[in-house]
PDB file of all heavy atoms in Angstrom:
ATOM      1  N   SER A 404      67.710  65.831  20.128  1.00  0.00           N
ATOM      2  CA  SER A 404      68.034  67.216  20.078  1.00  0.00           C
ATOM      3  C   SER A 404      68.711  67.592  21.364  1.00  0.00           C
ATOM      4  O   SER A 404      69.673  68.343  21.337  1.00  0.00           O
ATOM      5  CB  SER A 404      66.846  68.088  19.713  1.00  0.00           C
ATOM      6  OG  SER A 404      66.316  67.760  18.552  1.00  0.00           O
ATOM      7  N   ARG A 405      68.164  67.244  22.406  1.00  0.00           N
ATOM      8  CA  ARG A 405      68.804  67.674  23.838  1.00  0.00           C
ATOM      9  C   ARG A 405      70.125  67.089  23.873  1.00  0.00           C
ATOM     10  O   ARG A 405      70.989  67.682  24.519  1.00  0.00           O
ATOM     11  CB  ARG A 405      67.749  67.050  24.880  1.00  0.00           C
ATOM     12  CG  ARG A 405      66.650  67.937  25.100  1.00  0.00           C
ATOM     13  CD  ARG A 405      66.004  67.637  26.531  1.00  0.00           C
ATOM     14  NE  ARG A 405      65.561  66.198  26.574  1.00  0.00           N
ATOM     15  CZ  ARG A 405      64.362  65.659  26.104  1.00  0.00           C
ATOM     16  NH1 ARG A 405      63.453  66.486  25.568  1.00  0.00           N
ATOM     17  NH2 ARG A 405      64.170  64.387  26.362  1.00  0.00           N
ATOM     18  N   PHE A 406      70.217  65.866  23.436  1.00  0.00           N
ATOM     19  CA  PHE A 406      71.547  65.186  23.605  1.00  0.00           C
ATOM     20  C   PHE A 406      72.598  66.013  22.787  1.00  0.00           C
ATOM     21  O   PHE A 406      73.688  66.243  23.342  1.00  0.00           O
ATOM     22  CB  PHE A 406      71.489  63.762  22.964  1.00  0.00           C
ATOM     23  CG  PHE A 406      72.924  63.240  22.696  1.00  0.00           C
ATOM     24  CD1 PHE A 406      73.635  62.647  23.713  1.00  0.00           C
ATOM     25  CD2 PHE A 406      73.335  63.091  21.318  1.00  0.00           C
ATOM     26  CE1 PHE A 406      74.985  62.138  23.392  1.00  0.00           C
ATOM     27  CE2 PHE A 406      74.499  62.610  21.044  1.00  0.00           C
ATOM     28  CZ  PHE A 406      75.463  62.107  22.066  1.00  0.00           C
ATOM     29  N   PHE A 407      72.335  66.344  21.516  1.00  0.00           N
ATOM     30  CA  PHE A 407      73.349  67.147  20.857  1.00  0.00           C
ATOM     31  C   PHE A 407      73.598  68.601  21.446  1.00  0.00           C
ATOM     32  O   PHE A 407      74.763  69.011  21.522  1.00  0.00           O
ATOM     33  CB  PHE A 407      72.738  67.464  19.303  1.00  0.00           C
ATOM     34  CG  PHE A 407      72.701  66.202  18.457  1.00  0.00           C
ATOM     35  CD1 PHE A 407      71.590  65.793  17.822  1.00  0.00           C
ATOM     36  CD2 PHE A 407      73.812  65.505  18.410  1.00  0.00           C
ATOM     37  CE1 PHE A 407      71.611  64.757  16.961  1.00  0.00           C
ATOM     38  CE2 PHE A 407      73.805  64.268  17.516  1.00  0.00           C
ATOM     39  CZ  PHE A 407      72.807  63.957  16.817  1.00  0.00           C
ATOM     40  N   ASN A 408      72.591  69.212  21.839  1.00  0.00           N
ATOM     41  CA  ASN A 408      72.685  70.557  22.424  1.00  0.00           C
ATOM     42  C   ASN A 408      73.606  70.570  23.741  1.00  0.00           C
ATOM     43  O   ASN A 408      74.374  71.322  24.040  1.00  0.00           O
ATOM     44  CB  ASN A 408      71.404  71.339  22.585  1.00  0.00           C
ATOM     45  CG  ASN A 408      70.829  71.550  21.181  1.00  0.00           C
ATOM     46  OD1 ASN A 408      71.545  71.914  20.211  1.00  0.00           O
ATOM     47  ND2 ASN A 408      69.514  71.532  21.149  1.00  0.00           N
ATOM     48  N   GLU A 409      73.092  69.600  24.625  1.00  0.00           N
ATOM     49  CA  GLU A 409      73.748  69.620  25.938  1.00  0.00           C
ATOM     50  C   GLU A 409      75.177  69.095  25.916  1.00  0.00           C
ATOM     51  O   GLU A 409      76.066  69.644  26.537  1.00  0.00           O
ATOM     52  CB  GLU A 409      72.855  68.636  26.891  1.00  0.00           C
ATOM     53  CG  GLU A 409      71.521  69.159  27.192  1.00  0.00           C
ATOM     54  CD  GLU A 409      70.688  68.295  27.935  1.00  0.00           C
ATOM     55  OE1 GLU A 409      71.166  67.100  28.333  1.00  0.00           O
ATOM     56  OE2 GLU A 409      69.600  68.582  28.384  1.00  0.00           O
ATOM     57  N   THR A 410      75.371  68.153  24.958  1.00  0.00           N
ATOM     58  CA  THR A 410      76.746  67.538  24.843  1.00  0.00           C
ATOM     59  C   THR A 410      77.671  68.622  24.228  1.00  0.00           C
ATOM     60  O   THR A 410      78.920  68.750  24.617  1.00  0.00           O
ATOM     61  CB  THR A 410      76.776  66.201  23.954  1.00  0.00           C
ATOM     62  OG1 THR A 410      75.904  65.228  24.509  1.00  0.00           O
ATOM     63  CG2 THR A 410      78.172  65.650  23.970  1.00  0.00           C
ATOM     64  N   ASP A 411      77.167  69.405  23.142  1.00  0.00           N
ATOM     65  CA  ASP A 411      78.012  70.342  22.657  1.00  0.00           C
ATOM     66  C   ASP A 411      78.382  71.382  23.622  1.00  0.00           C
ATOM     67  O   ASP A 411      79.514  71.796  23.585  1.00  0.00           O
ATOM     68  CB  ASP A 411      77.082  70.963  21.434  1.00  0.00           C
ATOM     69  CG  ASP A 411      78.084  71.757  20.504  1.00  0.00           C
ATOM     70  OD1 ASP A 411      78.756  71.211  19.774  1.00  0.00           O
ATOM     71  OD2 ASP A 411      77.880  73.071  20.445  1.00  0.00           O
ATOM     72  N   ILE A 412      77.452  71.893  24.501  1.00  0.00           N
ATOM     73  CA  ILE A 412      77.821  72.838  25.487  1.00  0.00           C
ATOM     74  C   ILE A 412      78.929  72.316  26.350  1.00  0.00           C
ATOM     75  O   ILE A 412      79.854  72.944  26.721  1.00  0.00           O
ATOM     76  CB  ILE A 412      76.564  73.263  26.194  1.00  0.00           C
ATOM     77  CG1 ILE A 412      75.603  74.138  25.398  1.00  0.00           C
ATOM     78  CG2 ILE A 412      76.891  74.034  27.495  1.00  0.00           C
ATOM     79  CD1 ILE A 412      74.324  74.262  25.963  1.00  0.00           C
ATOM     80  N   ILE A 413      78.778  71.009  26.859  1.00  0.00           N
ATOM     81  CA  ILE A 413      79.733  70.359  27.722  1.00  0.00           C
ATOM     82  C   ILE A 413      81.110  70.346  27.087  1.00  0.00           C
ATOM     83  O   ILE A 413      82.098  70.729  27.754  1.00  0.00           O
ATOM     84  CB  ILE A 413      79.239  68.869  28.052  1.00  0.00           C
ATOM     85  CG1 ILE A 413      78.053  69.183  29.052  1.00  0.00           C
ATOM     86  CG2 ILE A 413      80.434  68.253  28.920  1.00  0.00           C
ATOM     87  CD1 ILE A 413      77.278  67.764  29.416  1.00  0.00           C
ATOM     88  N   ARG A 414      81.159  69.887  25.840  1.00  0.00           N
ATOM     89  CA  ARG A 414      82.444  69.729  25.259  1.00  0.00           C
ATOM     90  C   ARG A 414      83.133  71.040  24.952  1.00  0.00           C
ATOM     91  O   ARG A 414      84.349  71.171  25.117  1.00  0.00           O
ATOM     92  CB  ARG A 414      82.238  68.898  23.856  1.00  0.00           C
ATOM     93  CG  ARG A 414      81.710  67.570  24.075  1.00  0.00           C
ATOM     94  CD  ARG A 414      82.972  66.525  24.315  1.00  0.00           C
ATOM     95  NE  ARG A 414      83.760  66.870  25.507  1.00  0.00           N
ATOM     96  CZ  ARG A 414      83.448  66.555  26.785  1.00  0.00           C
ATOM     97  NH1 ARG A 414      82.332  65.957  26.992  1.00  0.00           N
ATOM     98  NH2 ARG A 414      84.185  67.032  27.716  1.00  0.00           N
ATOM     99  N   TRP A 415      82.375  71.973  24.582  1.00  0.00           N
ATOM    100  CA  TRP A 415      83.020  73.404  24.361  1.00  0.00           C
ATOM    101  C   TRP A 415      83.455  73.997  25.634  1.00  0.00           C
ATOM    102  O   TRP A 415      84.373  74.788  25.656  1.00  0.00           O
ATOM    103  CB  TRP A 415      82.129  74.290  23.561  1.00  0.00           C
ATOM    104  CG  TRP A 415      82.267  73.920  22.015  1.00  0.00           C
ATOM    105  CD1 TRP A 415      81.245  73.266  21.284  1.00  0.00           C
ATOM    106  CD2 TRP A 415      83.377  74.033  21.225  1.00  0.00           C
ATOM    107  NE1 TRP A 415      81.742  73.145  20.039  1.00  0.00           N
ATOM    108  CE2 TRP A 415      83.076  73.503  19.927  1.00  0.00           C
ATOM    109  CE3 TRP A 415      84.746  74.611  21.441  1.00  0.00           C
ATOM    110  CZ2 TRP A 415      83.825  73.638  18.886  1.00  0.00           C
ATOM    111  CZ3 TRP A 415      85.620  74.617  20.394  1.00  0.00           C
ATOM    112  CH2 TRP A 415      85.280  74.085  19.103  1.00  0.00           C
ATOM    113  N   THR A 416      82.553  73.857  26.785  1.00  0.00           N
ATOM    114  CA  THR A 416      83.083  74.434  28.084  1.00  0.00           C
ATOM    115  C   THR A 416      84.290  73.810  28.549  1.00  0.00           C
ATOM    116  O   THR A 416      85.192  74.443  28.852  1.00  0.00           O
ATOM    117  CB  THR A 416      81.861  74.168  29.101  1.00  0.00           C
ATOM    118  OG1 THR A 416      80.703  74.755  28.576  1.00  0.00           O
ATOM    119  CG2 THR A 416      82.269  74.687  30.406  1.00  0.00           C
ATOM    120  N   ASP A 417      84.404  72.486  28.341  1.00  0.00           N
ATOM    121  CA  ASP A 417      85.654  71.709  28.664  1.00  0.00           C
ATOM    122  C   ASP A 417      86.847  72.332  27.905  1.00  0.00           C
ATOM    123  O   ASP A 417      87.861  72.607  28.460  1.00  0.00           O
ATOM    124  CB  ASP A 417      85.466  70.305  28.322  1.00  0.00           C
ATOM    125  CG  ASP A 417      86.722  69.401  28.561  1.00  0.00           C
ATOM    126  OD1 ASP A 417      87.359  69.671  29.597  1.00  0.00           O
ATOM    127  OD2 ASP A 417      86.813  68.396  27.896  1.00  0.00           O
ATOM    128  N   TYR A 418      86.666  72.459  26.617  1.00  0.00           N
ATOM    129  CA  TYR A 418      87.778  72.980  25.705  1.00  0.00           C
ATOM    130  C   TYR A 418      88.132  74.300  25.982  1.00  0.00           C
ATOM    131  O   TYR A 418      89.279  74.727  26.132  1.00  0.00           O
ATOM    132  CB  TYR A 418      87.382  72.699  24.378  1.00  0.00           C
ATOM    133  CG  TYR A 418      88.449  73.207  23.356  1.00  0.00           C
ATOM    134  CD1 TYR A 418      89.577  72.461  23.254  1.00  0.00           C
ATOM    135  CD2 TYR A 418      88.426  74.462  22.646  1.00  0.00           C
ATOM    136  CE1 TYR A 418      90.663  72.965  22.228  1.00  0.00           C
ATOM    137  CE2 TYR A 418      89.324  74.860  21.842  1.00  0.00           C
ATOM    138  CZ  TYR A 418      90.570  74.080  21.595  1.00  0.00           C
ATOM    139  OH  TYR A 418      91.625  74.556  20.838  1.00  0.00           O
ATOM    140  N   THR A 419      87.071  75.201  26.205  1.00  0.00           N
ATOM    141  CA  THR A 419      87.442  76.677  26.588  1.00  0.00           C
ATOM    142  C   THR A 419      88.166  76.770  27.927  1.00  0.00           C
ATOM    143  O   THR A 419      89.009  77.734  28.007  1.00  0.00           O
ATOM    144  CB  THR A 419      86.074  77.451  26.615  1.00  0.00           C
ATOM    145  OG1 THR A 419      85.419  77.264  25.367  1.00  0.00           O
ATOM    146  CG2 THR A 419      86.229  78.931  26.886  1.00  0.00           C
ATOM    147  N   GLU A 420      87.756  75.905  28.878  1.00  0.00           N
ATOM    148  CA  GLU A 420      88.424  76.084  30.301  1.00  0.00           C
ATOM    149  C   GLU A 420      89.852  75.453  30.281  1.00  0.00           C
ATOM    150  O   GLU A 420      90.517  75.723  31.208  1.00  0.00           O
ATOM    151  CB  GLU A 420      87.491  75.429  31.320  1.00  0.00           C
ATOM    152  CG  GLU A 420      86.231  76.165  31.509  1.00  0.00           C
ATOM    153  CD  GLU A 420      85.364  75.377  32.537  1.00  0.00           C
ATOM    154  OE1 GLU A 420      85.644  74.330  32.863  1.00  0.00           O
ATOM    155  OE2 GLU A 420      84.178  76.131  32.839  1.00  0.00           O
ATOM    156  N   HIS A 421      90.162  74.612  29.263  1.00  0.00           N
ATOM    157  CA  HIS A 421      91.337  73.995  29.288  1.00  0.00           C
ATOM    158  C   HIS A 421      91.966  74.089  27.843  1.00  0.00           C
ATOM    159  O   HIS A 421      92.219  73.041  27.045  1.00  0.00           O
ATOM    160  CB  HIS A 421      91.296  72.377  29.654  1.00  0.00           C
ATOM    161  CG  HIS A 421      90.647  72.222  31.002  1.00  0.00           C
ATOM    162  ND1 HIS A 421      89.230  71.986  31.112  1.00  0.00           N
ATOM    163  CD2 HIS A 421      90.970  72.283  32.221  1.00  0.00           C
ATOM    164  CE1 HIS A 421      88.901  71.920  32.229  1.00  0.00           C
ATOM    165  NE2 HIS A 421      89.990  71.997  33.042  1.00  0.00           N
ATOM    166  N   PRO A 422      92.270  75.287  27.389  1.00  0.00           N
ATOM    167  CA  PRO A 422      92.532  75.509  25.904  1.00  0.00           C
ATOM    168  C   PRO A 422      93.983  74.905  25.565  1.00  0.00           C
ATOM    169  O   PRO A 422      94.259  74.674  24.477  1.00  0.00           O
ATOM    170  CB  PRO A 422      92.736  76.967  25.833  1.00  0.00           C
ATOM    171  CG  PRO A 422      92.964  77.542  27.291  1.00  0.00           C
ATOM    172  CD  PRO A 422      92.290  76.537  28.115  1.00  0.00           C
ATOM    173  N   HIS A 423      94.866  74.597  26.570  1.00  0.00           N
ATOM    174  CA  HIS A 423      96.166  74.010  26.231  1.00  0.00           C
ATOM    175  C   HIS A 423      96.309  72.625  26.626  1.00  0.00           C
ATOM    176  O   HIS A 423      97.269  71.959  26.609  1.00  0.00           O
ATOM    177  CB  HIS A 423      97.334  74.870  27.021  1.00  0.00           C
ATOM    178  CG  HIS A 423      97.129  76.397  26.559  1.00  0.00           C
ATOM    179  ND1 HIS A 423      97.429  76.772  25.332  1.00  0.00           N
ATOM    180  CD2 HIS A 423      96.954  77.408  27.411  1.00  0.00           C
ATOM    181  CE1 HIS A 423      97.270  78.160  25.395  1.00  0.00           C
ATOM    182  NE2 HIS A 423      96.957  78.540  26.642  1.00  0.00           N
ATOM    183  N   ASN A 424      95.160  71.997  26.866  1.00  0.00           N
ATOM    184  CA  ASN A 424      95.106  70.587  27.395  1.00  0.00           C
ATOM    185  C   ASN A 424      94.729  69.684  26.165  1.00  0.00           C
ATOM    186  O   ASN A 424      93.659  69.814  25.548  1.00  0.00           O
ATOM    187  CB  ASN A 424      93.983  70.342  28.496  1.00  0.00           C
ATOM    188  CG  ASN A 424      93.957  69.028  29.068  1.00  0.00           C
ATOM    189  OD1 ASN A 424      94.047  68.090  28.281  1.00  0.00           O
ATOM    190  ND2 ASN A 424      93.807  68.953  30.465  1.00  0.00           N
ATOM    191  N   ASN A 425      95.661  68.850  25.760  1.00  0.00           N
ATOM    192  CA  ASN A 425      95.413  67.894  24.688  1.00  0.00           C
ATOM    193  C   ASN A 425      94.150  67.088  24.781  1.00  0.00           C
ATOM    194  O   ASN A 425      93.506  66.771  23.851  1.00  0.00           O
ATOM    195  CB  ASN A 425      96.653  67.101  24.360  1.00  0.00           C
ATOM    196  CG  ASN A 425      97.805  67.950  23.727  1.00  0.00           C
ATOM    197  OD1 ASN A 425      97.622  68.930  23.145  1.00  0.00           O
ATOM    198  ND2 ASN A 425      98.962  67.251  23.861  1.00  0.00           N
ATOM    199  N   GLU A 426      93.881  66.648  26.032  1.00  0.00           N
ATOM    200  CA  GLU A 426      92.942  65.739  26.279  1.00  0.00           C
ATOM    201  C   GLU A 426      91.509  66.441  25.851  1.00  0.00           C
ATOM    202  O   GLU A 426      90.585  65.875  25.257  1.00  0.00           O
ATOM    203  CB  GLU A 426      92.856  65.229  27.545  1.00  0.00           C
ATOM    204  CG  GLU A 426      93.932  64.244  28.032  1.00  0.00           C
ATOM    205  CD  GLU A 426      93.958  63.856  29.394  1.00  0.00           C
ATOM    206  OE1 GLU A 426      93.080  64.071  30.122  1.00  0.00           O
ATOM    207  OE2 GLU A 426      94.949  63.172  29.846  1.00  0.00           O
ATOM    208  N   ALA A 427      91.312  67.667  26.357  1.00  0.00           N
ATOM    209  CA  ALA A 427      90.246  68.508  26.041  1.00  0.00           C
ATOM    210  C   ALA A 427      90.012  68.581  24.485  1.00  0.00           C
ATOM    211  O   ALA A 427      88.892  68.513  24.051  1.00  0.00           O
ATOM    212  CB  ALA A 427      90.293  69.816  26.641  1.00  0.00           C
ATOM    213  N   TYR A 428      91.195  68.731  23.820  1.00  0.00           N
ATOM    214  CA  TYR A 428      90.991  68.892  22.348  1.00  0.00           C
ATOM    215  C   TYR A 428      90.606  67.617  21.659  1.00  0.00           C
ATOM    216  O   TYR A 428      89.716  67.526  20.880  1.00  0.00           O
ATOM    217  CB  TYR A 428      92.429  69.301  21.657  1.00  0.00           C
ATOM    218  CG  TYR A 428      92.383  69.087  20.242  1.00  0.00           C
ATOM    219  CD1 TYR A 428      91.707  69.946  19.406  1.00  0.00           C
ATOM    220  CD2 TYR A 428      93.163  68.011  19.681  1.00  0.00           C
ATOM    221  CE1 TYR A 428      91.775  69.691  18.035  1.00  0.00           C
ATOM    222  CE2 TYR A 428      93.253  67.726  18.314  1.00  0.00           C
ATOM    223  CZ  TYR A 428      92.434  68.735  17.498  1.00  0.00           C
ATOM    224  OH  TYR A 428      92.501  68.485  16.096  1.00  0.00           O
ATOM    225  N   TYR A 429      91.118  66.491  22.153  1.00  0.00           N
ATOM    226  CA  TYR A 429      90.681  65.235  21.685  1.00  0.00           C
ATOM    227  C   TYR A 429      89.226  65.001  21.873  1.00  0.00           C
ATOM    228  O   TYR A 429      88.600  64.410  20.955  1.00  0.00           O
ATOM    229  CB  TYR A 429      91.454  64.026  22.326  1.00  0.00           C
ATOM    230  CG  TYR A 429      93.041  64.080  22.246  1.00  0.00           C
ATOM    231  CD1 TYR A 429      93.726  63.625  23.413  1.00  0.00           C
ATOM    232  CD2 TYR A 429      93.541  64.562  21.086  1.00  0.00           C
ATOM    233  CE1 TYR A 429      95.143  63.643  23.204  1.00  0.00           C
ATOM    234  CE2 TYR A 429      95.015  64.580  20.993  1.00  0.00           C
ATOM    235  CZ  TYR A 429      95.788  64.124  22.051  1.00  0.00           C
ATOM    236  OH  TYR A 429      97.056  64.169  21.911  1.00  0.00           O
ATOM    237  N   ARG A 430      88.714  65.420  22.971  1.00  0.00           N
ATOM    238  CA  ARG A 430      87.243  65.211  23.181  1.00  0.00           C
ATOM    239  C   ARG A 430      86.365  66.000  22.327  1.00  0.00           C
ATOM    240  O   ARG A 430      85.514  65.451  21.706  1.00  0.00           O
ATOM    241  CB  ARG A 430      87.091  65.464  24.696  1.00  0.00           C
ATOM    242  CG  ARG A 430      87.584  64.442  25.746  1.00  0.00           C
ATOM    243  CD  ARG A 430      87.034  64.677  27.114  1.00  0.00           C
ATOM    244  NE  ARG A 430      87.793  65.716  27.821  1.00  0.00           N
ATOM    245  CZ  ARG A 430      88.762  65.694  28.595  1.00  0.00           C
ATOM    246  NH1 ARG A 430      89.445  64.456  28.615  1.00  0.00           N
ATOM    247  NH2 ARG A 430      89.369  66.695  29.210  1.00  0.00           N
TER     248      ARG A 430
END
Side-chain angles (χ1 to χ4, degrees):
S404 295
R405 286 195 299 274
F406 164 77
F407 286 131
N408 292 324
E409 291 175 2
T410 306
D411 195 68
I412 291 172
I413 292 170
R414 292 280 54 85
W415 280 112
T416 300
D417 176 39
Y418 181 75
T419 301
E420 293 178 351
H421 308 93
H423 304 297
N424 186 317
N425 285 340
E426 294 179 6
Y428 167 71
Y429 299 147
R430 290 189 283 267

